[in-house]
Amino acid sequence: MKQCPVFKKCGGCQYLNLTYEEQLEKKKKELQRLLKGTCPIHEVIGMENPWHYRNKVHAVFSHDRKGNPISGVYQENSHIVLPVESCLIEDEKADEIIGTIRGMLKSFKIRTYDEDTGYGLLRHVLVKRGFATGEIMVVLVTASPVFPSRNNFVKALRQKHPEITTVIQNINGRDTSMVLGDREQVLYGKGYIEDILCGCRFRISARSFYQVNPVQTEVLYAKAMEYAGLTGKETVIDAYCGIGTIGIVASRRAKQVTGVELNPDAVRDAVRNARANKADNIRFFQGDAGDFLQKMAANGEKADVVFMDPPRSGSTERFMAAAAAMGPERIVYVSCGPDTLARDLKYLRKKGYRVEKGVGVDLFPWTGHVETVALLTRYIV
Ligand code: SAH
């Protein structure tokens, strides 16, 4: 077992005191408990090497009592910054870059932001890395747009880490617990990175959602595709589609795919991703998935397969009622919140769907989180 100096205080890895096997067993039992009588679960698929899997690393910046810069995480349920230099689940290169930035602040006279007084510039650093492409994005989140000696700072950072492919300044002047603000400026490179999943290339921008564990995401998507049973003739919906990953992978085995997503940045990425992968049988729409499906259903549109991958809070009855009205033979539900999954599966059962099976995929080793894919089939004809 590995040791972490901030194990108890950070609260990120609840299961670090278990072996990996024990942890998978615990997650399986947890899923079985939550989904009892709703969805049979026989397995949680684990990772071969469950360390340093996170491709996205966020560090909050602050200072200690002497005014020295520190970076790390918020102590659980608080706004106290706990200094962290390396983490067992984060990408090691990303941690290294964050350490370099921390070390550069003094000589560049950059003050870290103080939440209480509102003084200081640097609030957060976000690093995203495409594991398959090696591309690295650094996002410097500042309290104001004025960033003295910005160009020299970026130049010095790139000299120390030539592997960085793009640097972005994001401006977040608000008193908020959200990491990123609405305004951003590309300081170096193309402003996004790319990664490869299931043989498709994906563009990732600073603010769009991308799965944090790409190795296990491939396992997850392969399961989702297996459950979907596509033959090339189907009309498919990819709801809560993010940057279009599931829909684009599915488009190779379907007639037509429609993706819907709330976040405009993610939709923009999805459209470009479809083009880059030469997927011309997929289209994306920005909006609330529930509203969008209600409209489709009201227009009498049909679907053969619906993929749904809502956030942790789950889906809505509005969405699920409309999805059922479109009459898909199969619904593939990808979930990162087993309790909302249990709730939603029960609702879909009332709408004429049978829950066939489900499987857990360990996307977040050492943490209490687990991802699930469930297959539902229609029984009312
Ligand atoms: N399927 C994608 C993204 C899943 S995360 C993938 O595998 O990468 C869930 C996504 O749902 C996020 O991109 C989030 O922006 C989006 N979302 C949240 N609420 C939504 C809503 N009401 N309607 C549509 N999309 C929503």
Side-chain angles (χ1 to χ4, degrees), residues 77-366:
N77 304 322
S78 83
H79 264 225
I80 301 166
V81 178
L82 192 65
V84 175
E85 286 189 16
S86 66
C87 166
L88 292 167
I89 64 171
E90 291 172 356
D91 178 56
E92 288 174 290
K93 179 55 82 183
D95 282 346
E96 210 183 287
I97 291 170
I98 289 165
T100 303
I101 293 172
R102 195 175 53 239
M104 286 166 60
L105 297 181
K106 267 207 162 152
S107 58
F108 279 88
K109 298 193 171 58
I110 296 171
R111 298 255 301 273
T112 58
Y113 181 73
D114 187 316
E115 277 185 4
D116 297 326
T117 63
Y119 283 117
L121 182 68
L122 188 64
R123 298 185 74 157
H124 307 269
V125 172
L126 188 69
V127 179
K128 293 188 180 189
R129 181 168 182 206
F131 280 7
T133 58
E135 296 183 355
I136 297 178
M137 168 194 294
V138 175
V139 186
L140 305 166
V141 185
T142 59
S144 100
V146 186
F147 184 160
S149 62
R150 164 167 70 193
N151 293 345
N152 286 336
F153 185 81
V154 171
K155 208 163 152 192
L157 178 63
R158 285 181 42 230
Q159 257 161 14
K160 293 192 165 87
H161 294 283
E163 61 278 14
I164 294 171
T165 53
T166 192
V167 181
I168 294 163
Q169 180 187 0
N170 176 287
I171 297 130
N172 186 355
R174 287 171 307 174
D175 186 10
T176 163
S177 55
M178 296 278 286
V179 174
L180 298 177
D182 296 330
R183 265 197 295 165
E184 63 180 45
Q185 192 177 352
V186 178
L187 304 183
Y188 170 73
K190 50 192 182 179
Y192 60 89
I193 56 164
E194 290 184 304
D195 200 17
I196 297 165
L197 276 184
C198 303
C200 298
R201 228 179 151 82
F202 296 105
R203 170 196 288 237
I204 302 143
S205 56
R207 279 174 296 179
S208 54
F209 175 89
Y210 182 61
Q211 295 284 2
V212 298
N213 181 339
V215 173
Q216 288 295 86
T217 299
E218 288 200 323
V219 176
L220 178 75
Y221 289 175
K223 269 288 164 198
M225 293 307 140
E226 179 195 315
Y227 283 4
L230 298 173
T231 63
K233 296 195 198 112
E234 292 81 6
T235 300
V236 175
I237 305 282
D238 177 9
Y240 309 92
C241 69
I243 60 168
T245 42
I246 293 175
I248 290 169
V249 173
S251 72
R252 294 189 283 183
R253 279 164 264 173
K255 191 168 103 200
Q256 174 73 41
V257 182
T258 304
V260 57
E261 159 65 42
L262 195 58
N263 176 337
D265 284 331
V267 176
R268 216 167 295 135
D269 285 348
V271 169
R272 292 196 182 109
N273 286 333
R275 219 176 292 143
N277 288 288
K278 300 193 170 52
D280 49 18
N281 56 345
I282 185 162
R283 51 197 181 143
F284 293 99
F285 294 91
Q286 190 265 324
D288 169 69
D291 289 347
F292 184 76
L293 253 71
Q294 284 281 340
K295 271 189 220 126
M296 281 189 96
N299 286 341
E301 293 195 48
K302 297 288 170 202
D304 300 306
V305 175
V306 171
F307 289 99
M308 54 189 287
D309 184 4
R312 204 160 286 159
S313 52
S315 188
T316 59
E317 294 191 354
R318 192 173 153 72
F319 173 87
M320 292 184 285
M326 293 178 74
E329 283 302 318
R330 290 165 184 246
I331 298 177
V332 179
Y333 193 137
V334 179
S335 159
C336 57
D339 41 354
T340 54
L341 173 67
R343 179 198 70 197
D344 291 350
L345 291 180
K346 283 183 192 136
Y347 181 78
L348 284 165
R349 278 208 307 219
K350 287 193 263 173
K351 290 281 153 189
Y353 284 82
R354 183 173 23 235
V355 184
E356 298 285 346
K357 56 186 169 181
V359 65
V361 180
D362 193 22
L363 248 63
F364 315 103
W366 314 107

